[in-house]
Amino acid sequence: MKVLMNEPSQVRALLSICSVLLLLLECFLVAAEDPYRFFDWSITYGDIYPLGVKQQGILINGQFPGPDIYSVTNDNLIINVHNNLPEPFLLSWSGVQQRRNSYEDGVYGTTCPIPPGKNFTYTLQVKDQIGSFFYFPSLAFHKAAGGFGGIKILSRPRIPVPFPDPADDFTLLIGDWYQINHNKLKGVLDFGHRLPFPQGVLINGRAKGTTFTVEQGKTYGLRISNVGLQNTLNFRIQGHDMQLVEVEGTHTIQTTYSSLDVHVGQSYSVLITANQAPKDYYIAVSTRFTNKVLTSTAILHYSNSQQPVSGPIPGGPTTQIDWSIKQARSIRTNLTASGPRPNPQGSYHYGLISISRTIKLESSADQVNGKQRYAVNSVSFKPADTPLKLADSFKIGGVFQVGSIPDTPSGKPMYLDTSVMGADFRAFVEIVFQNHESIIQSWHIDGYSFWVVGMDGGEWTPNSRSQYNLRDAVSRCTTQVYPKSWTAIYMALDNVGMWNVRSEFWARQYLGQQFYMRVYSPVESIRDEYPIPKNALLCGKAAGRTTRSL
């Protein structure tokens, strides 16, 4: 070192070499970085007419529903959200796994609400994902006012897709809808009452009149998401069959269906071919498992159409549970298709892994202190004054307790708590959703996809495992549980963070049928989880803290 210090020419040469190496490294990193897509959204209230009557809706850049997010596997999405509502607001990204980054999940357990008149920039990466998903407002009862839109994640060009590129693809956001203002609906729940039956069903924000134009002889993709509040919907197209190709990020066996049950929170991608006579055809969506059937229609319009839509609206199943279970069991993974990566690291088959833990989650409805509540394993979730992820990150005590919800039904009377279940990073778990009620239910887990290995009527027992599909079960993020039935899933806990497990029936979620799963690694390495974002909003007991300088 002394020799170098005494030889300026050698020092200059060494510095020059270092500069070149740093430049090459920087160029490599820039070249290797995944693309960025930027979005700038203004959230406002505005007049909408989904059922033909004016009501207040949540608009994104003046649109209802909001704009589609178009992306490709591994893209970085920079979404600047300006909250121009008079109350706090959050967006969540249903099905986007937020790998190592639950801070960006956009639910109150992970992310501080955006104050009125302020903005927050979400930084998401659709890491190793493909498929059809959606975003929605997660606070209060905003979901009943709009603010939702579709998310398309396409495969990278070098990754083969198991079907030819369609001529075009369309997002279809379907869901039940209330003509009642969302604040009044929230008030009904806050006073401890149940919600009435919805007034209608929407297709892309309208009960009728939405038109999709196709050219005869061409094949088109439809991305169908149920963004509603509580009802399973059946989707069908007059005179046309649908070929299922993808479910929430998984390429499926390409089975043909005449109609498709889409449960709350679920997304499907199908192909249709415009191979019928050149005229207009009904697209029909109707409620399932309800005494009163609500139906909405849109139009599939052939560009060379010679006849307007005619004939009866095509009928679909109504209360038949066996029909729906049979269809659900027929949806399986396409084992010959590539995933988001050409050579997945650590490839394994879910059916060959030993289960390290069984979690049984039982839903219930009851009253607590004279008000309607819903629970999981007798615990009805009570939001804390600080997002749980922030409290965990800053090690703030008194906000929540890990283990405040048991692994199995306790048989206790329903009670309120900020329920958090602890789970070990890289464990492989079995979760059983047990439904003793007479309604169909829908469950979602943020941050993950899981294999739906079995579903049947009655009470789940260890003997039920004999009927599991351990070969080609579909992997998804939202699953239905039929009345007085069970659904079992397998899940690899490979994503560190604080993750929301919830009922997709939004009134039930709002009144406590949810909890958080804290997937924890004692190493606390940035290899396993990103540090708190430097632009993170800080609220509650985390207010006044600092995030990080870099």
Side-chain angles (χ1 to χ4, degrees):
M1 179 64 71
K2 289 182 178 180
V3 173
L4 286 175
M5 292 299 292
N6 291 330
E7 297 291 335
S9 61
Q10 294 183 37
V11 172
R12 287 196 296 270
L14 180 61
L15 290 174
S16 177
I17 293 170
C18 289
S19 298
V20 171
L21 290 174
L22 286 171
L23 181 62
L24 288 173
L25 178 61
E26 183 177 351
C27 290
F28 171 78
L29 291 173
V30 170
E33 192 169 23
D34 293 303
Y36 281 76
R37 297 180 187 270
F38 295 89
F39 304 83
D40 196 63
W41 287 354
S42 173
I43 311 299
T44 59
Y45 279 130
D47 293 338
I48 58 174
Y49 300 82
L51 298 180
V53 177
K54 184 173 78 171
Q55 63 185 114
Q56 184 187 62
I58 293 177
L59 312 180
I60 301 180
N61 291 352
Q63 299 180 44
F64 169 74
D68 274 1
I69 291 176
Y70 173 93
S71 60
V72 176
T73 301
N74 290 352
D75 279 357
N76 295 284
L77 310 180
I78 311 301
I79 306 172
N80 189 13
V81 178
H82 303 265
N83 178 19
N84 294 308
L85 304 183
E87 67 261 17
F89 184 78
L90 270 180
L91 283 173
S92 189
W93 322 89
S94 184
V96 177
Q97 292 180 12
Q98 314 289 0
R99 305 297 302 177
R100 300 187 290 164
N101 200 13
S102 63
Y103 295 102
E104 304 282 0
D105 201 31
V107 290
Y108 182 65
T110 64
T111 312
C112 288
I114 307 170
K118 302 296 183 180
N119 74 297
F120 176 70
T121 302
Y122 290 89
T123 303
L124 319 177
Q125 186 181 25
V126 288
K127 179 68 176 171
D128 292 333
Q129 287 193 262
I130 55 115
S132 303
F133 307 98
F134 64 93
Y135 61 87
F136 68 96
S138 62
L139 278 188
F141 217 61
H142 286 150
K143 193 181 181 189
F148 44 71
I151 301 174
K152 305 178 181 182
I153 310 176
L154 304 182
S155 292
R156 289 174 287 178
R158 64 183 179 138
I159 307 296
V161 175
F163 51 86
D165 288 339
D168 199 355
D169 72 24
F170 303 103
T171 296
L172 287 94
L173 303 175
I174 62 177
D176 51 14
W177 188 259
Y178 286 90
Q179 210 165 277
I180 305 166
N181 182 278
H182 70 283
N183 284 319
K184 291 184 178 179
L185 294 173
K186 178 178 175 293
V188 170
L189 297 174
D190 289 340
F191 277 104
H193 303 298
R194 300 188 183 204
L195 293 184
F197 191 67
Q199 280 81 46
V201 171
L202 303 186
I203 303 173
N204 285 3
R206 302 174 68 180
K208 58 181 179 180
T210 302
T211 299
F212 302 90
T213 300
V214 297
E215 294 185 30
Q216 193 168 28
K218 293 186 177 181
T219 297
Y220 294 82
L222 306 181
R223 299 172 181 269
I224 309 162
S225 294
N226 186 338
V227 298
L229 298 175
Q230 67 183 48
N231 286 110
T232 295
L233 299 175
N234 183 265
F235 182 94
R236 53 203 181 272
I237 303 176
Q238 183 183 27
H240 293 74
D241 288 331
M242 299 174 287
Q243 187 178 49
L244 183 66
V245 294
E246 178 262 330
V247 170
E248 294 162 24
T250 300
H251 291 304
T252 63
I253 293 176
Q254 295 175 12
T255 306
T256 298
Y257 300 98
S258 58
S259 71
L260 196 61
D261 275 354
V262 187
H263 305 278
V264 185
Q266 292 187 338
S267 297
Y268 291 87
S269 294
V270 301
L271 299 177
I272 62 163
T273 300
N275 55 8
Q276 301 301 305
K279 61 177 187 177
D280 292 356
Y281 296 87
Y282 281 115
I283 298 172
V285 177
S286 58
T287 55
R288 289 280 271 124
F289 318 116
T290 57
N291 293 326
K292 178 183 179 181
V293 177
L294 300 175
T295 300
S296 178
T297 60
I299 303 298
L300 185 72
H301 170 71
Y302 278 46
S303 59
N304 60 340
S305 173
Q306 300 175 5
Q307 182 181 334
V309 68
S310 61
I313 297 172
T318 53
T319 59
Q320 303 93 325
I321 293 175
D322 289 346
W323 184 96
S324 190
I325 292 177
K326 182 178 179 181
Q327 181 177 88
R329 289 173 174 162
S330 72
I331 298 172
R332 294 176 290 153
T333 296
N334 184 345
L335 297 179
T336 65
S338 295
R341 292 184 292 180
N343 297 301
Q345 298 175 3
S347 296
Y348 59 85
H349 191 277
Y350 73 94
L352 301 177
I353 303 174
S354 298
I355 300 165
S356 59
R357 179 179 177 187
T358 295
I359 300 167
K360 187 176 182 182
L361 304 176
E362 184 176 282
S363 62
S364 59
D366 207 343
Q367 289 200 342
V368 178
N369 299 324
K371 292 186 176 183
Q372 182 65 50
R373 298 290 300 187
Y374 300 94
V376 186
N377 290 355
S378 298
V379 190
S380 187
F381 184 81
K382 178 179 66 175
D385 62 359
T386 305
L388 310 182
K389 185 59 194 171
L390 295 185
D392 204 23
S393 177
F394 290 117
K395 302 189 184 322
I396 301 171
V399 176
F400 69 91
Q401 182 177 348
V402 177
S404 47
I405 179 172
D407 278 18
T408 57
S410 65
K412 295 180 180 179
M414 186 182 295
Y415 61 97
L416 306 182
D417 202 350
T418 304
S419 37
V420 176
M421 180 178 290
D424 294 332
F425 181 43
R426 294 193 176 130
F428 191 78
V429 301
E430 172 188 47
I431 300 177
V432 178
F433 297 99
Q434 181 69 58
N435 178 13
H436 290 302
E437 300 179 72
S438 58
I439 62 166
I440 190 169
Q441 297 186 354
S442 187
W443 287 90
H444 175 89
I445 301 179
D446 280 351
Y448 285 94
S449 285
F450 47 74
W451 291 275
V452 183
V453 294
M455 55 178 63
D456 204 355
E459 178 85 21
W460 180 90
T461 70
N463 292 333
S464 303
R465 295 182 181 126
S466 63
Q467 59 180 284
Y468 283 3
N469 176 359
L470 298 182
R471 182 177 181 272
D472 59 359
V474 70
S475 177
R476 63 188 317 165
C477 59
T478 307
T479 186
Q480 71 273 28
V481 189
Y482 290 97
K484 299 186 183 301
S485 300
W486 57 266
T487 294
I489 67 171
Y490 280 177
M491 189 165 76
L493 299 181
D494 58 358
N495 196 10
V496 172
M498 187 77 70
W499 303 109
N500 191 224
V501 181
R502 63 175 177 265
S503 168
E504 284 292 295
F505 281 30
W506 216 240
R508 285 179 166 247
Q509 176 273 154
Y510 182 78
L511 293 181
Q513 203 159 81
Q514 60 169 309
F515 66 94
Y516 283 81
M517 180 175 286
R518 179 182 184 258
V519 180
Y520 178 71
S521 170
V523 177
E524 295 187 353
S525 166
I526 59 172
R527 179 195 63 189
D528 300 328
E529 184 177 28
Y530 294 135
I532 185 171
K534 60 183 179 180
N535 71 326
L537 299 173
L538 301 178
C539 56
K541 293 177 180 176
R545 309 262 179 154
T546 57
T547 54
R548 55 190 175 93
S549 58
L550 297 177

